[in-house]
Amino acid sequence: MKKFGLSAVLLALVLMLSGCYFFVPLSADVTIENKTDKTFYYMVSYNSSNGVNDTKQTLLSGETKSDVLKGHLTEADYSDSTELFGFYMMEKEVYDAYIAAHDWLADQDWYVIVQKGEAYTATDKRSQNYKVVISPSTDGSDNYTVELTW
């Protein structure tokens, strides 16, 4: 019985330590270009890891930003090609008005932008290069279009 208990403990220890091996670190380059006259708050996620974007970022009118995002997959996910890139944004004015009305959410950037903003995702694209372009609408309105490419 003592050997069984020791074997079980050793097996559990080996599985716990080898669990780190089963994570594949990945990184992706993202370029975000704002061709509008609006200012946006945005957040980016890559493989369920916020990486450098764990707080909201500001994207000014006419500005282009680039970042390297860190992410990870398990070996099983990597084999199944389940990469996920997510871009979440809100117009600055809309975000500021929402926070003014719900001030208790002022330190919950991720929740507010993901739940109340707009989401653009690329799933299973197996790319390490993503580009987001925010352009004025072609219909002459005050709207904008968002194009996500990889």
Side-chain angles (χ1 to χ4, degrees), residues 97-126:
Y98 187 82
I99 292 300
H102 304 87
D103 61 346
W104 54 278
L105 287 172
D107 60 347
Q108 302 295 320
D109 297 333
W110 186 252
Y111 172 81
V112 174
I113 292 177
V114 171
Q115 298 298 320
K116 303 300 178 185
E118 298 174 65
Y120 302 89
T121 59
T123 305
D124 299 339
K125 299 305 177 191
R126 305 293 276 173

Side-chain angles (χ1 to χ4, degrees), residues 41-98:
Y41 288 135
Y42 73 93
M43 299 183 89
V44 182
S45 174
Y46 179 61
N47 292 333
S48 303
S49 179
N50 296 339
V52 297
N53 294 302
D54 51 7
T55 60
K56 73 181 184 300
Q57 304 291 317
T58 304
L59 186 65
L60 302 173
S61 172
E63 184 175 23
T64 299
K65 286 189 173 182
S66 295
D67 268 322
V68 176
L69 305 171
K70 302 290 183 190
H72 64 273
L73 293 176
T74 64
E75 290 277 353
D77 288 340
Y78 190 73
S79 299
D80 291 341
S81 182
T82 54
E83 283 191 33
L84 175 63
F85 171 84
F87 176 76
Y88 309 93
M89 61 180 256
M90 284 181 87
E91 287 182 47
K92 181 184 181 306
E93 294 173 358
V94 173
Y95 177 92
D96 292 343
Y98 187 82

